[in-house]
Amino acid sequence: MKFAIIAAGEGSRLANEGVTKPKPLVELNGVPIIEHLIRIFARNGATSINIIVNEQQPETVEFLNTIDAGCPINIVVKSTPSSMHSMHALSHLLRDEKFCLTTVDTLFKEEEFAQYIKNLEECDCDGIMAVTDYIDDEKPLYVATNDDMQITAFCDMPNADTHFISGGIYGLSPKTLDILDRCMADGVHRMRNFQRRLVESGMKLTAFPMGKIIDIDHAEDILKAEKFISEK
């Protein structure tokens, strides 16, 4: 299975709070965030790891060129206006098999992630989205599901059918990229609107509940993340 990492954000909130390194190179217990993800992906059967980095982070590209993951690491250097646009910039590398994509600051327990990947490999649906009931996002995307955990909607506000929020881990089949192409052609912005298009287009998406999934948006999140990934 292919894996992809969106590391094209500017990390402006971290920079404004005194963090001098680009977000992908911020260390958690001595390991850069992006290397932490790469190692997890490699241990979970990655055939390639495809990464987009913005044009203002040459040091991130230099670091990635030093990593031996046991599989190809393909790097796209491009600044984009949104995560959806970053995904599209990677899409030419993802069109021939199932893939799992995350943003660089998405942190989770590896044992849960391994089960998620196993389900993704075995499923016959169009995608499996990791979801969580732990809200650690300033603007969470709520996920509505039916009794069979099929996703029926992505919502900006909670309702009776939204028991989870998006965990920012997207496992998709190549044909979902046709919807992404149409979103780009229609001038759609934001990853959540692409996800809505998937549902509107009749794609079969399954929600996979995981425990705590956290993001690193602020300097204070770094210590919290270090503690989280050290917990057994």
Side-chain angles (χ1 to χ4, degrees), residues 84 141 156 183 188-198 200:
M84 191 197 83
L141 177 64
D156 291 326
C183 285
V188 173
H189 281 256
R190 304 192 72 188
M191 186 70 85
R192 61 183 59 194
N193 291 326
F194 162 61
Q195 293 177 80
R196 289 177 176 127
R197 278 286 187 93
L198 291 176
E200 292 165 4

Side-chain angles (χ1 to χ4, degrees), residues 11-22 26 217-220 222:
S12 56
R13 285 175 290 190
L14 286 175
N16 290 338
E17 294 170 7
V19 177
T20 58
K21 290 183 177 180
V26 169
D217 293 320
H218 298 281
E220 64 183 16
I222 296 174

